[in-house]
Amino acid sequence: MHESAYPLRGKRLVLVVDDEPINRALLGAMLEETCDVIMAENGREALALMEQNRSRLSLVLLDLKMPVLSGTELLKAVRADETLRRIPIIVLTADQDAEIESLDLGAIDFIPKPYPPAGVVLARVRRTIELSEDRSIIRATERDELTDLFSREYFYRYAEQFDRLHEETAMDAVVIDINHFRLLNERYGKAYANRVLRRVGEKLREAVQDSGGLVCRREADIFLLYCPHRDDYESVLEHSGAGLTGEQAGSARVRLRMGVYENADKTIDIERRFDRAQVAADTIRNNLTRPIAYYDAALHQAELFAEQLVEAFPDAIRERQFQVCCQPKFNVQGDAPRLVSAEALVRWEHPTLGKISPADFIPIFERNGLISELDRYVWHETAAAMRDWRENGGVTLPVSVNVSRVDMLDANLSERFLEITRAYGISPSDLLLEITESAYTSDSEYIIATVRKLRALGFRIEMDDFGTGYSSLGMISRLPIDALKLDMLFVQNAFGETRDTRMLELILDIAEYLKVPVIAEGVETKEQMTALRALGCEIIQGYYFSKPIPLPDFGAYIEEQLR
Ligand code: C2E
Ligand code: CA
Ligand code: CA
């Protein structure tokens, strides 16, 4: 069991209830060295103290015969209360018959009067407390088979109990994550990856054990640490990542990443405290130079902002605060640039917060799934506009919509798209779907199957943000796609200060090998456009041609361009 590895420290709080001052004094003297003791003279006082200390109280020692409210009455009252009922009660009595009655009423044990020697009383007190703590923990028990650390549930409950016993101790909630664990798994195999997990778990435990810290593996490669505040996390991290070089992995070094929520606010749920640590860890996801991030005032502000946006979402949909814009894409390989399609991009005009950038709200809605509802709204708006252009302007232009990775997990996705094309009389081949590269890398087999199905139905797929994910060449060559959409960063890097076009050329080579056209976005100048065209890039989107235009105005734009 874990108790030996994780002794719960700190004095337990015990309530002694007896109307005789001498009895209170005797018990107080026996207990005071190992426990914090509070006293009550009758049942009513005791009930009040139990209510005040309901979360911290470990045990009640209860006399039965008392004025005002007797011990028996108190037992009845406690039994009727959901939370008070969990506090173990030992009855103090000289009357053998009363014992049975009090056990029936929920007392857990009894101590006869006159009291046995202090050692006996203390042993009973300790055993009763241990049993009740075990019982509340065992309900959520089970450890992680692989690392032998606490399971997540057990860990959370243990942490809560730790808090109850150490109200004054400042605690840190920490999340530790292994960088590129998925790659490690793929490259060196599961057995090696498991060994890494075990090793990291062991080292983490070693690092914090002395200070009373608790460790668990939350899932996959994510570890949680709950420990009294400290400021040497660099060395904890160093210690935990040490010895992970070499082995099969050659010189590949296993790197850990850590998010720390210091002096955690104990009034919020324990899970939420770790969410905050996770938020901090996420800020350094692709940062190899900074292994530790702290949850700070700025992140807290961001969290509050995110909550505000999530709350505002239902009204925003209902009141049509979201608008859709279209940004044109031009084929530049002919004599003159030719409008070939457009991308639908969502905008949010909030009545009090003003314009909010999709770069701000999309990631938030992706985290909690609201993105699916928003995306469906955008798809419908876009399809309705396409019908309008055709019916009122006589023009048809293919338009791409963004498909979030959350949408990709929707089992009804292809039916939804089919339904939209039917409802608005659009050909599936005119609805282009932009799927971000990183969606492919998260659950590739499933995503690839979904994409195959969509293509079989006639939809065309553009792989968005290409170059930011970690697709292997092997995987890319199996991908069913119709175009690669270069991440804007490549364009910016290629024409920024360094003028390094090698990455760009490499990606264009890959596209040529795959025989798919390349779309460059974020193209702002004529110089960029000319250079990209010379490198073989076929389609260009960006401010150079046009900023995104609100849907109601885009019909006129198309007519003008196609005239
Ligand atoms: P994205 O899909 O990569 O979209 C391209 C972004 O680049 C858009 O930003 C666009 O306005 C911007 N952009 C276009 N041309 C230029 C240029 O020449 N220079 C610069 N600096 N930027 C340019 P936006 O509209 O702020 O969207 C940001 C991201 O939000 C999008 O990136 C996309 O990932 C997401 N997004 C936008 N609308 C939707 C939507 O309806 N659904 C989903 N799931 N995501 C969306
Ligand atoms: Ca896009
Ligand atoms: Ca993009």
Side-chain angles (χ1 to χ4, degrees), residues 372-401:
S372 301
E373 194 178 342
L374 178 59
D375 276 343
R376 288 202 292 272
Y377 177 88
V378 172
W379 303 339
H380 274 275
E381 292 288 301
T382 305
M386 290 168 80
R387 176 179 61 189
D388 186 52
W389 303 331
R390 189 191 61 233
E391 286 179 357
N392 297 322
V395 288
T396 298
L397 186 75
V399 177
S400 61
V401 292

PDB file of all heavy atoms in Angstrom, residues 372-401:
ATOM      1  N   SER A 372     -17.881  23.254 -32.565  1.00  0.00           N
ATOM      2  CA  SER A 372     -18.702  22.496 -33.512  1.00  0.00           C
ATOM      3  C   SER A 372     -19.966  23.267 -33.862  1.00  0.00           C
ATOM      4  O   SER A 372     -20.374  23.323 -35.021  1.00  0.00           O
ATOM      5  CB  SER A 372     -19.088  21.144 -32.932  1.00  0.00           C
ATOM      6  OG  SER A 372     -17.928  20.425 -32.644  1.00  0.00           O
ATOM      7  N   GLU A 373     -20.573  23.849 -32.838  1.00  0.00           N
ATOM      8  CA  GLU A 373     -21.798  24.600 -33.079  1.00  0.00           C
ATOM      9  C   GLU A 373     -21.510  25.836 -33.931  1.00  0.00           C
ATOM     10  O   GLU A 373     -22.238  26.161 -34.869  1.00  0.00           O
ATOM     11  CB  GLU A 373     -22.417  25.006 -31.741  1.00  0.00           C
ATOM     12  CG  GLU A 373     -23.840  25.480 -31.895  1.00  0.00           C
ATOM     13  CD  GLU A 373     -24.476  25.844 -30.546  1.00  0.00           C
ATOM     14  OE1 GLU A 373     -23.946  25.405 -29.501  1.00  0.00           O
ATOM     15  OE2 GLU A 373     -25.482  26.569 -30.562  1.00  0.00           O
ATOM     16  N   LEU A 374     -20.405  26.508 -33.596  1.00  0.00           N
ATOM     17  CA  LEU A 374     -20.037  27.702 -34.353  1.00  0.00           C
ATOM     18  C   LEU A 374     -19.715  27.345 -35.809  1.00  0.00           C
ATOM     19  O   LEU A 374     -20.163  28.023 -36.743  1.00  0.00           O
ATOM     20  CB  LEU A 374     -18.831  28.379 -33.696  1.00  0.00           C
ATOM     21  CG  LEU A 374     -18.316  29.624 -34.407  1.00  0.00           C
ATOM     22  CD1 LEU A 374     -19.410  30.683 -34.501  1.00  0.00           C
ATOM     23  CD2 LEU A 374     -17.099  30.197 -33.700  1.00  0.00           C
ATOM     24  N   ASP A 375     -18.966  26.281 -35.990  1.00  0.00           N
ATOM     25  CA  ASP A 375     -18.605  25.885 -37.349  1.00  0.00           C
ATOM     26  C   ASP A 375     -19.849  25.560 -38.184  1.00  0.00           C
ATOM     27  O   ASP A 375     -19.956  25.966 -39.334  1.00  0.00           O
ATOM     28  CB  ASP A 375     -17.646  24.689 -37.335  1.00  0.00           C
ATOM     29  CG  ASP A 375     -16.197  25.143 -37.138  1.00  0.00           C
ATOM     30  OD1 ASP A 375     -15.927  26.339 -37.335  1.00  0.00           O
ATOM     31  OD2 ASP A 375     -15.346  24.303 -36.788  1.00  0.00           O
ATOM     32  N   ARG A 376     -20.780  24.854 -37.578  1.00  0.00           N
ATOM     33  CA  ARG A 376     -21.994  24.520 -38.329  1.00  0.00           C
ATOM     34  C   ARG A 376     -22.735  25.784 -38.736  1.00  0.00           C
ATOM     35  O   ARG A 376     -23.264  25.871 -39.844  1.00  0.00           O
ATOM     36  CB  ARG A 376     -22.897  23.600 -37.493  1.00  0.00           C
ATOM     37  CG  ARG A 376     -22.330  22.204 -37.388  1.00  0.00           C
ATOM     38  CD  ARG A 376     -23.400  21.181 -37.055  1.00  0.00           C
ATOM     39  NE  ARG A 376     -23.928  21.356 -35.709  1.00  0.00           N
ATOM     40  CZ  ARG A 376     -23.394  20.778 -34.628  1.00  0.00           C
ATOM     41  NH1 ARG A 376     -22.328  20.017 -34.733  1.00  0.00           N
ATOM     42  NH2 ARG A 376     -23.935  20.960 -33.448  1.00  0.00           N
ATOM     43  N   TYR A 377     -22.724  26.762 -37.845  1.00  0.00           N
ATOM     44  CA  TYR A 377     -23.340  28.057 -38.157  1.00  0.00           C
ATOM     45  C   TYR A 377     -22.643  28.687 -39.362  1.00  0.00           C
ATOM     46  O   TYR A 377     -23.288  29.136 -40.312  1.00  0.00           O
ATOM     47  CB  TYR A 377     -23.227  28.950 -36.916  1.00  0.00           C
ATOM     48  CG  TYR A 377     -23.750  30.352 -37.073  1.00  0.00           C
ATOM     49  CD1 TYR A 377     -25.091  30.660 -36.831  1.00  0.00           C
ATOM     50  CD2 TYR A 377     -22.897  31.395 -37.444  1.00  0.00           C
ATOM     51  CE1 TYR A 377     -25.569  31.950 -36.961  1.00  0.00           C
ATOM     52  CE2 TYR A 377     -23.364  32.690 -37.585  1.00  0.00           C
ATOM     53  CZ  TYR A 377     -24.703  32.969 -37.336  1.00  0.00           C
ATOM     54  OH  TYR A 377     -25.164  34.249 -37.462  1.00  0.00           O
ATOM     55  N   VAL A 378     -21.312  28.682 -39.336  1.00  0.00           N
ATOM     56  CA  VAL A 378     -20.538  29.282 -40.433  1.00  0.00           C
ATOM     57  C   VAL A 378     -20.784  28.534 -41.747  1.00  0.00           C
ATOM     58  O   VAL A 378     -20.965  29.143 -42.798  1.00  0.00           O
ATOM     59  CB  VAL A 378     -19.027  29.279 -40.090  1.00  0.00           C
ATOM     60  CG1 VAL A 378     -18.191  29.715 -41.291  1.00  0.00           C
ATOM     61  CG2 VAL A 378     -18.752  30.176 -38.891  1.00  0.00           C
ATOM     62  N   TRP A 379     -20.831  27.199 -41.672  1.00  0.00           N
ATOM     63  CA  TRP A 379     -21.058  26.416 -42.897  1.00  0.00           C
ATOM     64  C   TRP A 379     -22.406  26.776 -43.515  1.00  0.00           C
ATOM     65  O   TRP A 379     -22.519  26.944 -44.729  1.00  0.00           O
ATOM     66  CB  TRP A 379     -21.004  24.910 -42.616  1.00  0.00           C
ATOM     67  CG  TRP A 379     -19.704  24.458 -41.998  1.00  0.00           C
ATOM     68  CD1 TRP A 379     -18.506  25.124 -42.058  1.00  0.00           C
ATOM     69  CD2 TRP A 379     -19.476  23.277 -41.224  1.00  0.00           C
ATOM     70  NE1 TRP A 379     -17.547  24.428 -41.368  1.00  0.00           N
ATOM     71  CE2 TRP A 379     -18.106  23.283 -40.842  1.00  0.00           C
ATOM     72  CE3 TRP A 379     -20.275  22.209 -40.811  1.00  0.00           C
ATOM     73  CZ2 TRP A 379     -17.540  22.270 -40.077  1.00  0.00           C
ATOM     74  CZ3 TRP A 379     -19.705  21.198 -40.047  1.00  0.00           C
ATOM     75  CH2 TRP A 379     -18.347  21.222 -39.685  1.00  0.00           C
ATOM     76  N   HIS A 380     -23.425  26.884 -42.662  1.00  0.00           N
ATOM     77  CA  HIS A 380     -24.760  27.211 -43.175  1.00  0.00           C
ATOM     78  C   HIS A 380     -24.787  28.611 -43.781  1.00  0.00           C
ATOM     79  O   HIS A 380     -25.345  28.813 -44.870  1.00  0.00           O
ATOM     80  CB  HIS A 380     -25.804  27.090 -42.060  1.00  0.00           C
ATOM     81  CG  HIS A 380     -26.319  25.691 -41.906  1.00  0.00           C
ATOM     82  ND1 HIS A 380     -27.347  25.190 -42.651  1.00  0.00           N
ATOM     83  CD2 HIS A 380     -25.901  24.680 -41.101  1.00  0.00           C
ATOM     84  CE1 HIS A 380     -27.568  23.928 -42.314  1.00  0.00           C
ATOM     85  NE2 HIS A 380     -26.691  23.591 -41.371  1.00  0.00           N
ATOM     86  N   GLU A 381     -24.203  29.577 -43.080  1.00  0.00           N
ATOM     87  CA  GLU A 381     -24.175  30.948 -43.592  1.00  0.00           C
ATOM     88  C   GLU A 381     -23.471  30.983 -44.951  1.00  0.00           C
ATOM     89  O   GLU A 381     -23.914  31.650 -45.885  1.00  0.00           O
ATOM     90  CB  GLU A 381     -23.422  31.866 -42.615  1.00  0.00           C
ATOM     91  CG  GLU A 381     -24.133  32.076 -41.294  1.00  0.00           C
ATOM     92  CD  GLU A 381     -25.365  32.959 -41.432  1.00  0.00           C
ATOM     93  OE1 GLU A 381     -25.223  34.108 -41.882  1.00  0.00           O
ATOM     94  OE2 GLU A 381     -26.473  32.478 -41.109  1.00  0.00           O
ATOM     95  N   THR A 382     -22.367  30.267 -45.029  1.00  0.00           N
ATOM     96  CA  THR A 382     -21.582  30.253 -46.266  1.00  0.00           C
ATOM     97  C   THR A 382     -22.388  29.634 -47.406  1.00  0.00           C
ATOM     98  O   THR A 382     -22.474  30.198 -48.511  1.00  0.00           O
ATOM     99  CB  THR A 382     -20.288  29.441 -46.053  1.00  0.00           C
ATOM    100  OG1 THR A 382     -19.591  29.993 -44.928  1.00  0.00           O
ATOM    101  CG2 THR A 382     -19.390  29.502 -47.288  1.00  0.00           C
ATOM    102  N   ALA A 383     -23.007  28.497 -47.104  1.00  0.00           N
ATOM    103  CA  ALA A 383     -23.773  27.814 -48.149  1.00  0.00           C
ATOM    104  C   ALA A 383     -24.947  28.682 -48.604  1.00  0.00           C
ATOM    105  O   ALA A 383     -25.269  28.745 -49.804  1.00  0.00           O
ATOM    106  CB  ALA A 383     -24.268  26.465 -47.626  1.00  0.00           C
ATOM    107  N   ALA A 384     -25.573  29.373 -47.646  1.00  0.00           N
ATOM    108  CA  ALA A 384     -26.697  30.242 -48.001  1.00  0.00           C
ATOM    109  C   ALA A 384     -26.224  31.364 -48.924  1.00  0.00           C
ATOM    110  O   ALA A 384     -26.901  31.717 -49.897  1.00  0.00           O
ATOM    111  CB  ALA A 384     -27.329  30.821 -46.733  1.00  0.00           C
ATOM    112  N   ALA A 385     -25.040  31.903 -48.644  1.00  0.00           N
ATOM    113  CA  ALA A 385     -24.503  32.975 -49.499  1.00  0.00           C
ATOM    114  C   ALA A 385     -24.198  32.437 -50.894  1.00  0.00           C
ATOM    115  O   ALA A 385     -24.476  33.101 -51.909  1.00  0.00           O
ATOM    116  CB  ALA A 385     -23.246  33.565 -48.860  1.00  0.00           C
ATOM    117  N   MET A 386     -23.663  31.215 -50.957  1.00  0.00           N
ATOM    118  CA  MET A 386     -23.333  30.639 -52.273  1.00  0.00           C
ATOM    119  C   MET A 386     -24.593  30.472 -53.118  1.00  0.00           C
ATOM    120  O   MET A 386     -24.599  30.725 -54.323  1.00  0.00           O
ATOM    121  CB  MET A 386     -22.618  29.285 -52.090  1.00  0.00           C
ATOM    122  CG  MET A 386     -21.209  29.428 -51.521  1.00  0.00           C
ATOM    123  SD  MET A 386     -20.520  27.852 -50.978  1.00  0.00           S
ATOM    124  CE  MET A 386     -19.990  27.171 -52.546  1.00  0.00           C
ATOM    125  N   ARG A 387     -25.672  30.049 -52.448  1.00  0.00           N
ATOM    126  CA  ARG A 387     -26.937  29.910 -53.172  1.00  0.00           C
ATOM    127  C   ARG A 387     -27.393  31.278 -53.687  1.00  0.00           C
ATOM    128  O   ARG A 387     -27.831  31.424 -54.829  1.00  0.00           O
ATOM    129  CB  ARG A 387     -28.004  29.327 -52.249  1.00  0.00           C
ATOM    130  CG  ARG A 387     -29.370  29.245 -52.929  1.00  0.00           C
ATOM    131  CD  ARG A 387     -30.425  28.638 -52.032  1.00  0.00           C
ATOM    132  NE  ARG A 387     -30.622  29.439 -50.826  1.00  0.00           N
ATOM    133  CZ  ARG A 387     -31.373  29.052 -49.785  1.00  0.00           C
ATOM    134  NH1 ARG A 387     -31.961  27.876 -49.815  1.00  0.00           N
ATOM    135  NH2 ARG A 387     -31.510  29.821 -48.738  1.00  0.00           N
ATOM    136  N   ASP A 388     -27.227  32.274 -52.820  1.00  0.00           N
ATOM    137  CA  ASP A 388     -27.630  33.631 -53.175  1.00  0.00           C
ATOM    138  C   ASP A 388     -26.842  34.146 -54.384  1.00  0.00           C
ATOM    139  O   ASP A 388     -27.416  34.723 -55.307  1.00  0.00           O
ATOM    140  CB  ASP A 388     -27.410  34.517 -51.952  1.00  0.00           C
ATOM    141  CG  ASP A 388     -27.946  35.917 -52.169  1.00  0.00           C
ATOM    142  OD1 ASP A 388     -29.118  36.014 -52.565  1.00  0.00           O
ATOM    143  OD2 ASP A 388     -27.175  36.877 -51.981  1.00  0.00           O
ATOM    144  N   TRP A 389     -25.524  33.929 -54.399  1.00  0.00           N
ATOM    145  CA  TRP A 389     -24.714  34.395 -55.527  1.00  0.00           C
ATOM    146  C   TRP A 389     -25.186  33.744 -56.828  1.00  0.00           C
ATOM    147  O   TRP A 389     -25.227  34.377 -57.871  1.00  0.00           O
ATOM    148  CB  TRP A 389     -23.226  34.072 -55.337  1.00  0.00           C
ATOM    149  CG  TRP A 389     -22.636  34.626 -54.070  1.00  0.00           C
ATOM    150  CD1 TRP A 389     -23.040  35.755 -53.416  1.00  0.00           C
ATOM    151  CD2 TRP A 389     -21.565  34.084 -53.300  1.00  0.00           C
ATOM    152  NE1 TRP A 389     -22.295  35.951 -52.283  1.00  0.00           N
ATOM    153  CE2 TRP A 389     -21.372  34.949 -52.180  1.00  0.00           C
ATOM    154  CE3 TRP A 389     -20.740  32.961 -53.423  1.00  0.00           C
ATOM    155  CZ2 TRP A 389     -20.390  34.710 -51.211  1.00  0.00           C
ATOM    156  CZ3 TRP A 389     -19.755  32.740 -52.457  1.00  0.00           C
ATOM    157  CH2 TRP A 389     -19.596  33.597 -51.369  1.00  0.00           C
ATOM    158  N   ARG A 390     -25.504  32.461 -56.713  1.00  0.00           N
ATOM    159  CA  ARG A 390     -25.917  31.746 -57.909  1.00  0.00           C
ATOM    160  C   ARG A 390     -27.281  32.230 -58.390  1.00  0.00           C
ATOM    161  O   ARG A 390     -27.477  32.549 -59.561  1.00  0.00           O
ATOM    162  CB  ARG A 390     -25.971  30.243 -57.624  1.00  0.00           C
ATOM    163  CG  ARG A 390     -26.183  29.387 -58.864  1.00  0.00           C
ATOM    164  CD  ARG A 390     -26.490  27.943 -58.509  1.00  0.00           C
ATOM    165  NE  ARG A 390     -27.711  27.837 -57.717  1.00  0.00           N
ATOM    166  CZ  ARG A 390     -27.795  27.211 -56.544  1.00  0.00           C
ATOM    167  NH1 ARG A 390     -26.729  26.627 -56.027  1.00  0.00           N
ATOM    168  NH2 ARG A 390     -28.935  27.165 -55.896  1.00  0.00           N
ATOM    169  N   GLU A 391     -28.240  32.340 -57.433  1.00  0.00           N
ATOM    170  CA  GLU A 391     -29.606  32.676 -57.824  1.00  0.00           C
ATOM    171  C   GLU A 391     -29.750  34.131 -58.247  1.00  0.00           C
ATOM    172  O   GLU A 391     -30.479  34.449 -59.181  1.00  0.00           O
ATOM    173  CB  GLU A 391     -30.580  32.355 -56.685  1.00  0.00           C
ATOM    174  CG  GLU A 391     -30.783  30.848 -56.562  1.00  0.00           C
ATOM    175  CD  GLU A 391     -31.718  30.470 -55.420  1.00  0.00           C
ATOM    176  OE1 GLU A 391     -32.164  31.381 -54.682  1.00  0.00           O
ATOM    177  OE2 GLU A 391     -31.980  29.259 -55.275  1.00  0.00           O
ATOM    178  N   ASN A 392     -29.030  35.017 -57.540  1.00  0.00           N
ATOM    179  CA  ASN A 392     -29.199  36.438 -57.842  1.00  0.00           C
ATOM    180  C   ASN A 392     -28.125  37.027 -58.741  1.00  0.00           C
ATOM    181  O   ASN A 392     -28.347  38.050 -59.373  1.00  0.00           O
ATOM    182  CB  ASN A 392     -29.292  37.249 -56.550  1.00  0.00           C
ATOM    183  CG  ASN A 392     -30.512  36.841 -55.740  1.00  0.00           C
ATOM    184  OD1 ASN A 392     -31.565  36.563 -56.309  1.00  0.00           O
ATOM    185  ND2 ASN A 392     -30.350  36.748 -54.438  1.00  0.00           N
ATOM    186  N   GLY A 393     -26.944  36.410 -58.774  1.00  0.00           N
ATOM    187  CA  GLY A 393     -25.882  36.961 -59.612  1.00  0.00           C
ATOM    188  C   GLY A 393     -25.491  36.026 -60.753  1.00  0.00           C
ATOM    189  O   GLY A 393     -24.736  36.392 -61.637  1.00  0.00           O
ATOM    190  N   GLY A 394     -25.987  34.817 -60.690  1.00  0.00           N
ATOM    191  CA  GLY A 394     -25.652  33.850 -61.730  1.00  0.00           C
ATOM    192  C   GLY A 394     -24.210  33.383 -61.685  1.00  0.00           C
ATOM    193  O   GLY A 394     -23.671  32.920 -62.693  1.00  0.00           O
ATOM    194  N   VAL A 395     -23.540  33.522 -60.524  1.00  0.00           N
ATOM    195  CA  VAL A 395     -22.138  33.085 -60.452  1.00  0.00           C
ATOM    196  C   VAL A 395     -21.957  31.976 -59.420  1.00  0.00           C
ATOM    197  O   VAL A 395     -22.654  31.918 -58.412  1.00  0.00           O
ATOM    198  CB  VAL A 395     -21.186  34.249 -60.075  1.00  0.00           C
ATOM    199  CG1 VAL A 395     -21.057  35.209 -61.241  1.00  0.00           C
ATOM    200  CG2 VAL A 395     -21.664  34.965 -58.826  1.00  0.00           C
ATOM    201  N   THR A 396     -21.001  31.109 -59.700  1.00  0.00           N
ATOM    202  CA  THR A 396     -20.662  30.041 -58.761  1.00  0.00           C
ATOM    203  C   THR A 396     -19.177  30.110 -58.460  1.00  0.00           C
ATOM    204  O   THR A 396     -18.359  30.166 -59.386  1.00  0.00           O
ATOM    205  CB  THR A 396     -20.987  28.660 -59.369  1.00  0.00           C
ATOM    206  OG1 THR A 396     -22.401  28.619 -59.613  1.00  0.00           O
ATOM    207  CG2 THR A 396     -20.613  27.548 -58.420  1.00  0.00           C
ATOM    208  N   LEU A 397     -18.854  30.146 -57.197  1.00  0.00           N
ATOM    209  CA  LEU A 397     -17.443  30.131 -56.807  1.00  0.00           C
ATOM    210  C   LEU A 397     -17.263  29.125 -55.677  1.00  0.00           C
ATOM    211  O   LEU A 397     -17.985  29.170 -54.678  1.00  0.00           O
ATOM    212  CB  LEU A 397     -17.019  31.526 -56.309  1.00  0.00           C
ATOM    213  CG  LEU A 397     -15.523  31.663 -56.004  1.00  0.00           C
ATOM    214  CD1 LEU A 397     -14.717  31.765 -57.295  1.00  0.00           C
ATOM    215  CD2 LEU A 397     -15.255  32.880 -55.109  1.00  0.00           C
ATOM    216  N   PRO A 398     -16.292  28.200 -55.831  1.00  0.00           N
ATOM    217  CA  PRO A 398     -16.043  27.266 -54.722  1.00  0.00           C
ATOM    218  C   PRO A 398     -15.553  28.044 -53.496  1.00  0.00           C
ATOM    219  O   PRO A 398     -14.783  28.987 -53.637  1.00  0.00           O
ATOM    220  CB  PRO A 398     -14.928  26.362 -55.253  1.00  0.00           C
ATOM    221  CG  PRO A 398     -14.919  26.553 -56.738  1.00  0.00           C
ATOM    222  CD  PRO A 398     -15.408  27.946 -56.978  1.00  0.00           C
ATOM    223  N   VAL A 399     -16.016  27.624 -52.328  1.00  0.00           N
ATOM    224  CA  VAL A 399     -15.588  28.301 -51.098  1.00  0.00           C
ATOM    225  C   VAL A 399     -15.114  27.254 -50.104  1.00  0.00           C
ATOM    226  O   VAL A 399     -15.723  26.186 -49.977  1.00  0.00           O
ATOM    227  CB  VAL A 399     -16.737  29.124 -50.478  1.00  0.00           C
ATOM    228  CG1 VAL A 399     -16.302  29.771 -49.172  1.00  0.00           C
ATOM    229  CG2 VAL A 399     -17.214  30.189 -51.447  1.00  0.00           C
ATOM    230  N   SER A 400     -14.032  27.566 -49.400  1.00  0.00           N
ATOM    231  CA  SER A 400     -13.579  26.629 -48.373  1.00  0.00           C
ATOM    232  C   SER A 400     -14.040  27.088 -46.997  1.00  0.00           C
ATOM    233  O   SER A 400     -14.075  28.279 -46.707  1.00  0.00           O
ATOM    234  CB  SER A 400     -12.057  26.490 -48.399  1.00  0.00           C
ATOM    235  OG  SER A 400     -11.429  27.724 -48.152  1.00  0.00           O
ATOM    236  N   VAL A 401     -14.413  26.107 -46.189  1.00  0.00           N
ATOM    237  CA  VAL A 401     -14.736  26.400 -44.790  1.00  0.00           C
ATOM    238  C   VAL A 401     -13.720  25.689 -43.906  1.00  0.00           C
ATOM    239  O   VAL A 401     -13.136  24.678 -44.302  1.00  0.00           O
ATOM    240  CB  VAL A 401     -16.158  25.915 -44.420  1.00  0.00           C
ATOM    241  CG1 VAL A 401     -17.217  26.728 -45.156  1.00  0.00           C
ATOM    242  CG2 VAL A 401     -16.327  24.431 -44.682  1.00  0.00           C
TER     243      VAL A 401
END
